[in-house]
Amino acid sequence: MPSAVVLLADGTEEMEFTITYDTLVRAGVQVVSAFVPAQSPGASVSPPAAKCSRGVRILPDSYLDPTECGPDKHDLLVIPGGAVGAATMSANATVQKLIQAYLDKKKYVGMICAGSLAARTAKLPKQPITSHPSVRGDLEADFEYSEDPVVVSGTLVTSRGPGTAFPFALTLVELLCGKEKREEVRSPMVFPTGTPF
């Protein structure tokens, strides 16, 4: 059974976190959330509830721990957006190293919205990418920027924002579990007729 780590920080965009997490769970993926603190958690044992970008509080499963969140234990690392949360994650050296480790081992990394800034801070090579329009200027010089809702470049998957969270999550399901599982998960969600994903 595939497994995934979805990162969470203060300021994370709620929809991008919850839609991705929930959709993966519906596909049978074992999902764990890991809190990325703005500063070192020190000796803390229990992570605090993250206060997301619209004030919703989410209790993560654990703190970010490279020994528990690496590609030797999981198949997918997800970095949601939300300006403040994405800034915390993209500046975190452990997150940067994990991104590189996942991609080096041909494991999947998903970035959505401002979460795509982590591609730059992790010093990924020039390749197709997308993001929220507000951070396009930070990325287009170093990457092949696209305005497609979801961009797959090898095992890096990027997307644009809250409105593309469902196609982003369903793409991750397809990559991890296959097209049949994607449709099995998508169908009971009852998207309006003609929805292009």
Side-chain angles (χ1 to χ4, degrees):
M1 177 183 300
S3 63
V5 178
V6 182
L7 301 184
L8 180 65
D10 287 328
T12 290
E13 212 294 322
E14 292 89 334
M15 290 174 65
E16 294 162 6
F17 174 85
T18 56
I19 289 170
T20 304
Y21 190 112
D22 178 87
T23 302
L24 290 167
V25 168
R26 289 170 188 251
V29 177
Q30 291 183 325
V31 185
V32 63
S33 59
F35 182 77
V36 181
Q39 298 176 343
S40 173
S44 297
V45 175
S46 179
K51 186 175 181 182
C52 294
S53 63
R54 277 25 181 210
V56 174
R57 293 183 184 272
I58 298 174
L59 185 66
D61 300 311
S62 63
Y63 273 118
L64 178 67
D65 178 345
T67 64
E68 294 298 321
C69 296
D72 55 326
K73 296 196 175 182
H74 301 283
D75 304 293
L76 167 66
L77 174 68
V78 178
I79 302 165
V84 174
T88 295
M89 292 179 203
S90 62
N92 185 287
T94 297
V95 173
Q96 294 166 13
K97 289 175 185 173
L98 283 172
I99 291 166
Q100 294 165 348
Y102 271 78
L103 296 175
D104 286 347
K105 292 197 173 186
K106 308 297 184 195
K107 298 287 184 86
Y108 291 102
V109 174
M111 302 175 180
I112 183 169
C113 193
S116 294
L117 289 171
R120 188 186 67 182
T121 57
K123 297 181 172 39
L124 298 188
K126 189 163 192 171
Q127 61 190 297
I129 197 172
T130 194
S131 71
H132 192 271
S134 66
V135 297
R136 175 180 183 153
D138 297 311
L139 296 168
E140 59 187 349
D142 298 317
F143 297 94
E144 298 165 23
Y145 197 86
S146 170
E147 293 187 354
D148 290 344
V150 180
V151 174
V152 180
S153 174
T155 57
L156 176 65
V157 182
T158 55
S159 189
R160 307 213 73 202
T164 63
F166 276 113
F168 173 68
L170 289 167
T171 298
L172 295 174
V173 167
E174 181 174 338
L175 291 169
L176 288 174
C177 307
K179 288 185 178 181
E180 287 185 11
K181 180 60 73 174
R182 175 184 176 137
E183 186 52 36
E184 180 184 316
V185 170
R186 181 191 181 282
S187 182
M189 291 180 172
V190 198
F191 290 106
T193 302
T195 299
F197 56 82

